[in-house]
């Protein structure tokens, strides 16, 4: 009885031809891939899953310059220029696709979920369009597009497989994302994410902890718990205290040095979470909590279910329990109907909250959101002027907060690629417990990425700290061991970490004399 092949596998030879050598022997090479990521941390984590899926299916990550055999664009739909960015990038890829007919282009993420078949209509050279709910379908869709010689568009309205059950190619051997939920139950009038990511779906605590423990076993020393609204975690299975319990449980994972989370919603921020942060030694004293606006009227129109007083009380309570906590936020300037008085209320919160940094945005009109149809859309010049005032104030607040650390000793998790000028300054870089970027002199024996060091801060800037003296208390960790082991392997051998999903099967290899698509 002939064997059935899984989609994505090369066909078996026909009867009577299995042992017949080809007329001209061909050297087969694996297809290369590149994933380009736009948007939030959830997209970054999804891209790790997409990379893991592709490697489990036999692709190899592209290295060097040029365009890979497969380019995947993992898109974001939050900003107004997201569409322009996508179609501009697809336009740049069109000549490469024309020159290399075997090349494939896939588009996924939030913009794919929103635009669906419109992408193929506007860019007919795209091979696959997939949405936020069916990441795991990508290898099969690619093979189907090859076999049928036509574009494949598959957008599901509900989550097919929780992304964390998929294989992953982790970008860092010592630090990792762990998704605890996907989707969002909020209805903020400016946000299109719930329509594209769906209602909140929570993983079971045991599954989350199993992934954390597996990562630590592989050498990860820092984990960031990830969700659209992490502190609403547990709503799906009826436990409002689930997030605080999860934080405390992570504190019991031997070898896990640091736990972070992003992003919580002020509406769901409870005292038990603050207590868990304060009482769990490896829970970091850092909190990213979006404000969006300091005006109660604007918050009401945004459909944000808290007000200025509630937000500032949370900040107060966090600082009372964790005096060294660094609090960061998101702020939108120029929401429809925002008055100068509304904007001044936002500046008042910035002064009172003393954020260590803020991600500041000019309101971006997104079709499909209630805010896009609101009256009072503000002129660009008004929004720009307010935005510049906000940035100027926040820069000063950030600098003042950073200068409080000069002369103090801080623990730094050494990182790779954090400091863009490290090659020129001969410094190393990493993140303090509070999340601040720290550049430091390496000393006689440079620690490895993933190791922990203690340094004395000698200079502060709004967005980083500097330690000019060599570190003391260098502690080699399993994270550093994992980083060192990864450097010893060729890039092609740094394979995905499978978390139990069966492999789809390798794509048919390309002949060595096929048109070259340089790795990227």
């Amino acid at each position: 009885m002939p064997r059935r092949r899984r989609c994505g596998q090369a066909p078996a030879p026909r009867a009577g031809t299995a042992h017949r050598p080809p007329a001209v022997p061909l050297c087969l090479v694996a297809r290369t891939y590149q994933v380009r990521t736009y948007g939030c941390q959830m997209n970054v984590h999804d891209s790790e899953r997409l990379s893991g899926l592709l490697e489990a299916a036999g692709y190899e990550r592209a290295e060097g310059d040029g365009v890979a055999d497969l380019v995947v664009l993992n898109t974001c739909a939050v900003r107004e220029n997201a569409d322009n960015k996508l179609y501009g990038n697809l336009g740049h890829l069109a000549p490469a696709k024309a020159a290399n007919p075997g090349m494939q282009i896939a588009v996924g993420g939030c913009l794919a979920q929103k635009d669906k078949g419109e992408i193929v209509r506007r860019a007919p050279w795209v091979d696959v369009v997939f949405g936020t709910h069916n990441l795991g379908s990508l290898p099969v869709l690619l093979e189907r597009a090859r076999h049928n010689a036509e574009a494949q568009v598959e957008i599901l309205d509900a989550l097919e497989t929780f992304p964390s059950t998929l294989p992953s190619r982790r970008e860092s051997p010592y630090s990792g994302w762990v998704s605890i939920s996907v989707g969002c139950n909020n209805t903020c009038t400016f946000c299109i994410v719930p329509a594209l990511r769906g209602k909140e779906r929570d993983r079971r605590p045991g599954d989350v902890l199993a992934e954390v423990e597996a990562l630590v076993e592989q050498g990860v020393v820092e984990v960031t718990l990830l969700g659209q609204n992490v502190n609403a975690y547990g709503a799906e299975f009826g436990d409002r205290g689930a997030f605080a319990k999860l934080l405390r449980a992570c504190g019991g994972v031997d070898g896990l040095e640091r736990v972070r989370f992003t992003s919580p919603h002020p509406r769901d921020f409870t005292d038990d979470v603050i207590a868990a942060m304060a009482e769990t030694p490896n829970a970091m004293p850092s909190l990213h909590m979006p404000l969006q606006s300091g005006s109660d009227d604007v918050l009401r129109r945004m459909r944000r279910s808290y007000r200025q007083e509630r937000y500032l009380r949370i900040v107060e309570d966090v600082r009372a329990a964790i005096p060294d906590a660094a609090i960061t936020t998101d702020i939108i300037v120029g929401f429809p109907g925002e008055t100068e008085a509304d904007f001044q209320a936002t500046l008042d919160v910035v002064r009172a909250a003393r954020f260590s940094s803020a991600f500041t945005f000019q309101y971006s009109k997104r079709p499909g959101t209630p805010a896009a149809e609101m009256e009072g859309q503000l002129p660009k010049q008004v929004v720009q002027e307010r935005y510049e005032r906000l940035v100027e104030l926040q820069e000063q607040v950030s600098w003042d907060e950073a200068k409080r650390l000069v002369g103090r000793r801080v623990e730094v998790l050494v990182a790779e690629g954090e400091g863009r000028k490290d090659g020129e300054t001969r410094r190393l870089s990493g993140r303090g417990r509070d999340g601040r970027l720290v550049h430091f002199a390496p000393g006689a024996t440079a620690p490895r990425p993933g190791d922990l060091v203690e340094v004395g801060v000698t200079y502060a800037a709004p967005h980083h700290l500097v330690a000019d003296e060599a570190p003391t208390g260098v502690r080699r960790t399993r994270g550093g061991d994992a980083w060192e082991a990864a450097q010893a392997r060729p890039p092609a051998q740094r394979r995905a970490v499978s978390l139990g999903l069966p492999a789809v099967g390798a794509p048919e290899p390309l002949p060595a004399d096929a048109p070259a698509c340089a790795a990227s």
Side-chain angles (χ1 to χ4, degrees), residues 136-310:
S137 301
L138 178 59
V140 171
L141 293 173
L142 290 167
E143 177 62 22
R144 194 183 300 161
R146 268 192 295 270
H147 181 272
N148 297 346
E150 64 178 12
Q152 302 296 307
V153 178
E154 184 174 287
I155 306 291
L156 302 185
D157 293 327
L159 192 66
E160 182 183 59
T161 302
F162 203 95
S164 294
T165 64
L166 304 175
S168 175
R169 186 195 197 280
R170 303 276 179 177
E171 291 301 313
S172 168
Y174 51 83
S175 181
W177 305 102
V178 173
S179 181
I180 67 170
S181 65
V182 295
C184 182
N185 293 337
N186 294 313
T187 56
C188 301
T189 56
F190 57 82
C191 186
I192 199 169
V193 168
L196 304 179
R197 291 276 182 180
K199 292 292 186 182
E200 182 176 324
R201 294 281 306 277
D202 295 332
R203 294 176 72 191
R204 302 300 299 185
D207 294 339
V208 175
L209 284 172
E211 184 177 353
V212 171
E213 290 166 351
L215 288 175
V216 172
E217 187 66 28
Q218 295 157 17
V220 166
V221 293
E222 178 183 60
V223 158
T224 301
L225 304 177
L226 185 63
Q228 237 81 47
N229 181 11
V230 288
N231 56 334
Y233 175 71
E236 190 179 17
F237 49 83
D239 184 356
R240 288 184 56 82
F243 185 62
K245 294 173 187 173
L246 183 62
L247 278 180
R248 292 183 186 276
C250 287
V253 177
D254 187 38
L256 182 59
E257 302 278 352
R258 294 182 169 191
V259 180
R260 303 186 188 278
F261 58 90
T262 193
S263 293
H265 193 293
R267 182 196 67 185
D268 301 303
F269 214 98
T270 52
D271 290 342
D272 61 342
V273 173
I274 297 174
M277 290 176 65
E279 296 164 9
T280 305
N282 62 1
M284 292 298 96
S286 62
L287 171 65
H288 182 79
M289 185 169 65
L291 168 66
Q292 307 303 6
S293 175
S295 161
D296 287 353
D297 285 343
V298 172
L299 288 170
R300 192 173 295 110
R301 290 197 300 279
M302 287 180 167
R303 216 178 284 156
R304 301 284 287 180
S305 48
Y306 57 89
R307 300 295 176 256
Q308 181 191 108
E309 182 182 2
R310 160 75 173 151

Side-chain angles (χ1 to χ4, degrees), residues 457-495:
V457 178
T458 55
Y459 172 78
H463 303 293
H464 68 268
L465 305 172
V466 174
D468 286 319
E469 297 177 2
T472 58
V474 177
R475 182 153 65 88
R476 292 169 71 87
T477 70
R478 293 170 64 183
D481 295 342
W483 178 86
E484 194 168 38
Q487 304 318 296
R489 295 194 297 270
Q493 293 180 16
R494 299 172 196 172
R495 304 294 290 176

Side-chain angles (χ1 to χ4, degrees), residues 312-383:
L312 287 175
R313 188 166 67 250
I314 295 171
V315 170
E316 242 177 66
D317 292 346
V318 169
R319 292 224 166 98
I322 314 166
D324 293 330
I327 300 175
T328 60
T329 196
D330 298 337
I331 300 173
I332 297 172
V333 178
F335 189 78
E338 180 189 76
T339 65
E340 178 62 26
D342 292 328
F343 178 65
Q344 286 296 330
T346 296
L347 298 183
D348 290 343
V349 175
V350 170
R351 293 186 187 98
R354 311 297 298 173
F355 299 118
S356 61
S357 68
F359 295 92
T360 53
F361 306 93
Q362 297 184 36
Y363 169 71
S364 182
K365 188 175 181 179
R366 299 305 291 141
T369 63
E373 306 302 322
M374 287 182 177
E375 295 181 357
Q377 304 285 331
L378 299 181
K380 168 67 177 175
Q381 61 268 28
V382 172
V383 179

